[in-house]
Amino acid sequence: MSPWPGLGRRLWWLALAAPLLAGLDRAPLTPLGQGPRLLDDQLVQTFFLLRGPRPAPADPVILAIDADSLELGELLAPGERQASPLWRQMGPWPWPRALQARLAAHVLEQGAARVLFNIEYSQPSRFGPADDRAFVATLNPWRQRVHLAAHFGVREEGGVQESRLRLPIHPLGAPGLTTLLQSPRGVVEAVPGQGWIEARLGDFPPPLPRPMAFLVRPAPPPPAPMGLNFPGPAGTMPRVPAWKLLEAPPSTWRGRTVLIGVTAPGLGDLQETPFGPMAGTEIQAVAVANVLQGRGLGRLPPAGDGLLLLGWGALAGLLLRRPASAGGTLQLALALAGGVLLAGGAAWAGAQLRLPLAALLLAPVAGGGVRAVGQGLAESRERAYLHQVLSRRVSPTLLRDILRSPGPLWNQAVGRRARCAVLFSDLVGFTPLSAVLEPAELFALLNRYFEAMAAAVLEQEGLLDKFIGDAVMAEFGVPRSRGDAEEARAAVRAALAMQQRLEALNVELAAAGTPPLKHGIGLHFGEVIAGNLGSSQRLEFTVVGASVNVTSRLEGLTRLFPAHPILVSGDLLALLPEELEVLPLGSHRIKGWPVPLEVYALQGLRPAGAAPG
């Protein structure tokens, strides 16, 4: 008898406690804390995506050195560029610092509260000393309201890490630290707090630069990092292209903070955010807006996190002890997890507070899951077996076969030789379309396509083996065969149905303004090895062998014959010589196949009793 039921009942509380202990490791400094930290980051990104974009704040305004400003030579005629003293000097980056200073001076003259340069000036201008002198002279009247960028970085040479703080060489207002903190997944998430500054910059001579976002208020930065509350994706924050500076009315700048920096993607200053890649200048603008509005994301102090995790662990443990069945325990665990998600989302959206959500979420799931497993094994070994089987993705035909004759064919890593028809279907030219679709649109389109293709296979009692990217693999004749000819016939009918359903789907897509889809289908009949592949924890019933590779290559040949989306091999045609309308396409060398393969374009099924043409 398995010892797991007793262990599950006695030790499920360890599973409950492990995520809570991991949640105390906020840095994270140990491997135990890395998992919850990664999940926390993913949950925060999900919160942003579910919340969606919000109206952009009016302050600050980005004076953007964008792609158009860097390519005025291509956008404007020479005569047009001469009409403006700014346009004459705009071109490929970098621009003279004198020109950059005039941009800042213009917005300050129009009433801007301050100017923050997200441009590094730690080295002399490549245009010479005169350019540096002109930069300082132009901005000197507003010297306390102009802040230049300071950057901190760590470089490793010869196994030794060297910290570097690059400060501006121009004596204007207090420099602003542009360094931002990233999550373990590389997503920009926070502005450093005073604790981070003292820990990382404490060895440099004072005064230490404050984060650029906190230059807009007199108070020092908070001790802990300020999480970034992004209003939306790239392009959300208000901006004025540098080349259109003179067209903006004075009200654009009056009383506002202005960030000057590069936003052109070609210059490589893109960083990952919950809404996707964003220019560093726009991220700094988000940080400034968070400070001005008091909308930055915060966290409880470590002691507060500890009390919250301890209290939640005690409450969840008491509640999870009550259900008497595995189903009841699991339902309660999921209910507790759902409550945590709702509470965490409310705290994030309403109070701008990030909770240790992953630990709070995983604790009841892990503890309740272990207890439910123990209860389930004690209740019924058969129920556990069915739960394991039904957790795998199977077609209805395969599921009926499992329930009719369960055995080693389905739950052991065994294989056997079989003859079957193999079908491969793959979308043609879908990669360029997927690159321009939004993720939600892409998945919705693929799901509609897969739904139609899968139905065609299952109606012919085929085995829907797997989806590979935008491809479908199916077999007819495993695990049970109705005879070679019948299985070949079913594969042909499925392929024709797939083509008809794609045409119907394309009619719907055309009405919605979406480009039509096109696929290629390959059909071959031969010997395969059918069985379970995987590990002891998860097995997948599939087929392997040369016939699978031949079918895949056959589908690939449809690219050479775009007018014929369904290609069949001579081996499959030999089973149905009087039934198929085909067009010979000659012999083709197939990689991994010893002899040339006779290839035919499938045009349809002949009516019953019709003679070959």
Side-chain angles (χ1 to χ4, degrees):
M1 183 176 179
S2 172
W4 278 108
L7 288 176
R9 287 193 296 268
R10 291 192 298 269
L11 301 180
W12 64 269
W13 58 270
L14 289 178
L16 175 74
L20 300 175
L21 293 174
L24 296 175
D25 187 9
R26 293 171 54 161
L29 301 175
T30 66
L32 182 64
Q34 291 173 2
R37 182 69 168 86
L38 289 170
L39 180 57
D40 267 333
D41 296 339
Q42 186 61 57
L43 289 172
V44 169
Q45 181 171 5
T46 302
F47 285 159
F48 275 116
L49 297 178
L50 291 176
R51 185 204 68 184
R54 287 292 183 265
D59 197 9
V61 179
I62 300 173
L63 183 53
I65 303 173
D66 61 351
D68 290 343
S69 300
L70 301 178
E71 299 171 359
L72 282 186
E74 300 178 11
L75 297 177
L76 302 176
E80 292 177 302
R81 292 190 66 186
Q82 293 302 317
S84 168
L86 294 179
W87 291 353
R88 286 198 294 270
Q89 298 187 58
M90 290 183 181
W93 189 256
W95 292 347
R97 293 183 182 178
L99 171 60
Q100 299 174 43
R102 283 199 292 276
L103 300 178
H106 177 82
V107 301
L108 289 164
E109 290 170 348
Q110 299 292 318
R114 63 188 66 82
V115 170
L116 309 177
F117 276 93
N118 190 44
I119 302 170
E120 190 174 316
Y121 298 108
S122 61
Q123 300 292 329
S125 170
R126 67 172 59 185
F127 294 93
D131 190 37
D132 282 322
R133 290 193 295 269
F135 180 84
V136 175
T138 301
L139 296 178
N140 195 55
W142 305 277
R143 59 183 302 114
Q144 298 304 319
R145 294 158 57 192
V146 177
H147 303 277
L148 308 184
H151 180 75
F152 171 79
V154 177
R155 183 177 61 180
E156 185 170 336
E157 290 187 0
V160 178
Q161 287 189 341
E162 177 187 7
S163 298
R164 301 180 62 188
L165 178 62
R166 297 194 294 270
L167 297 171
I169 62 173
H170 302 304
L172 294 171
L177 186 66
T178 59
T179 303
L180 298 170
L181 305 184
Q182 295 184 345
S183 73
R185 297 170 54 246
V187 177
V188 176
E189 65 173 1
V191 178
Q194 191 62 36
W196 186 96
I197 294 172
E198 293 173 356
R200 300 299 193 283
L201 308 184
D203 293 335
F204 293 96
L208 299 178
R210 299 165 61 188
M212 180 169 283
F214 290 110
L215 294 176
V216 300
R217 68 178 191 183
M226 181 193 73
L228 292 174
N229 193 348
F230 291 89
T236 299
M237 298 298 293
R239 68 178 65 193
V240 175
W243 74 286
K244 292 187 176 182
L245 171 68
L246 301 180
E247 300 177 14
S251 59
T252 304
W253 319 106
R254 190 175 298 120
R256 292 188 171 95
T257 297
V258 179
L259 273 95
I260 300 179
V262 174
T263 61
L267 296 184
D269 187 30
L270 292 179
Q271 302 178 54
E272 195 63 34
T273 74
F275 286 103
M278 189 177 296
T281 298
E282 186 165 5
I283 297 176
Q284 292 291 344
V286 170
V288 171
N290 288 171
V291 173
L292 290 172
Q293 296 182 319
R295 299 283 296 177
L297 300 176
R299 292 200 63 169
L300 294 173
D305 271 357
L307 290 174
L308 177 63
L309 293 170
L310 179 62
W312 175 245
L315 176 62
L318 291 173
L319 293 175
L320 288 172
R321 292 183 62 183
R322 299 176 64 87
S325 66
T329 300
L330 200 56
Q331 289 178 5
L332 179 57
L334 294 177
L336 293 173
V340 164
L341 284 176
L342 291 175
W348 177 85
Q352 290 80 56
L353 183 63
R354 282 191 60 171
L355 301 177
L357 200 54
L360 298 172
L361 175 68
L362 291 174
V365 171
V370 170
R371 187 169 190 267
V373 168
Q375 289 174 310
L377 289 173
E379 292 168 1
S380 171
R381 292 178 61 87
E382 181 63 21
R383 182 179 300 175
Y385 169 76
L386 290 177
H387 180 272
Q388 178 186 9
V389 170
L390 294 177
S391 68
R392 302 171 183 168
R393 294 180 298 176
V394 296
S395 70
T397 301
L398 182 57
L399 180 57
R400 287 195 299 269
D401 213 348
I402 293 173
L403 297 177
R404 184 169 59 248
S405 57
L409 178 62
W410 308 115
N411 56 30
Q412 295 181 16
V414 297
R416 62 179 178 83
R417 296 187 180 276
R419 283 176 54 81
C420 71
V422 184
L423 179 151
F424 256 97
S425 172
D426 193 13
L427 286 173
V428 178
F430 188 69
T431 300
L433 179 61
S434 65
V436 300
L437 290 177
E438 292 294 328
E441 296 174 333
L442 174 64
F443 273 72
L445 179 57
L446 281 175
N447 284 331
R448 291 178 66 188
Y449 170 75
F450 285 144
E451 185 71 21
M453 300 305 103
V457 171
L458 298 180
E459 286 171 1
Q460 297 300 322
E461 298 186 18
L463 170 62
L464 193 60
D465 194 314
K466 59 176 66 71
F467 298 108
I468 313 169
D470 54 8
V472 178
M473 177 179 170
E475 294 89 43
F476 299 80
V478 290
R480 301 287 186 264
S481 176
R482 297 165 288 183
D484 290 357
E486 182 59 27
E487 298 298 348
R489 190 176 296 112
V492 168
R493 289 171 176 165
L496 293 172
M498 292 167 75
Q499 183 64 23
Q500 293 172 356
R501 295 182 184 208
L502 179 62
E503 293 171 359
L505 176 60
N506 281 334
V507 172
E508 299 176 10
L509 295 179
T514 303
L517 300 178
K518 183 178 181 182
H519 65 189
I521 300 175
L523 292 173
H524 176 64
F525 200 100
E527 185 177 84
V528 298
I529 300 176
N532 291 295
L533 289 177
S535 68
S536 59
Q537 286 75 35
R538 181 170 179 85
L539 296 174
E540 180 180 10
F541 187 88
T542 187
V543 300
V544 297
S547 293
V548 177
N549 296 330
V550 168
T551 311
S552 177
R553 306 292 183 191
L554 192 61
E555 183 278 322
L557 285 178
T558 60
R559 310 305 191 270
L560 301 178
F561 305 101
H564 304 294
I566 306 177
L567 301 184
V568 301
S569 67
D571 298 277
L572 187 140
L573 178 62
L575 294 170
L576 306 169
E578 307 296 326
E579 300 181 30
L580 303 187
E581 290 282 355
V582 296
L583 178 67
L585 299 179
S587 300
H588 294 265
R589 285 282 182 185
I590 299 295
K591 183 178 179 181
W593 198 247
V595 296
L597 185 71
E598 295 294 327
V599 178
Y600 300 85
L602 178 64
Q603 297 181 316
L605 281 167
R606 293 194 184 100

